[in-house]
Amino acid sequence: VTRLEAAGVEVRRANAISVLKDLAGADLDLVFLDPPFDAALFDKAIDGAVPALRPDGFLYLEAPTAWTEPQLRGKGLELLRHLKAGQVHAHLIRRAQAPAA
């Protein structure tokens, strides 16, 4: 935050599932998720992040396996980028906008 001279940024290091429940409806621009690989928390973490994001908000996810476009679409998300570095699959994901009524 200091190096980028960013304003309006809050960094939290905590249990993401608990924090995200409190942030539902917060319309966040970006959420970073890096759950422990062996904890089986990926679905819960993603499901918690989606309600906290604004429409078209971004999610950065690190995981031991690649998340597919159909998996993410089922959660209202769109895969923008994926890369693999060693054991880590990194994903840049966008929350899909709700369809116009």
Side-chain angles (χ1 to χ4, degrees):
V1 172
T2 303
R3 188 178 321 158
L4 296 174
E5 299 178 14
V9 174
E10 180 180 344
V11 176
R12 293 188 188 190
R13 185 174 182 212
N15 179 312
I17 308 295
S18 299
V19 170
L20 289 169
K21 284 181 184 177
D22 293 340
L23 292 173
D27 287 335
L28 301 176
D29 294 317
L30 174 64
V31 173
F32 289 92
L33 292 176
D34 184 9
F37 277 19
D38 60 353
L41 294 172
F42 294 94
D43 277 305
K44 287 182 183 178
I46 292 169
D47 291 344
V50 171
L53 289 170
R54 67 175 171 79
D56 262 0
F58 295 93
L59 173 64
Y60 173 82
L61 172 68
E62 290 189 357
T65 59
W67 281 73
T68 66
E69 291 185 36
Q71 284 175 300
L72 294 168
R73 236 187 339 267
K75 295 181 175 295
L77 299 167
E78 173 188 8
L79 180 63
L80 299 177
R81 291 199 178 111
H82 168 263
L83 66 87
K84 185 171 189 280
Q87 300 282 327
V88 179
H89 289 266
H91 308 77
L92 180 61
I93 301 164
R94 179 172 50 207
R95 181 177 179 188
Q97 288 186 335

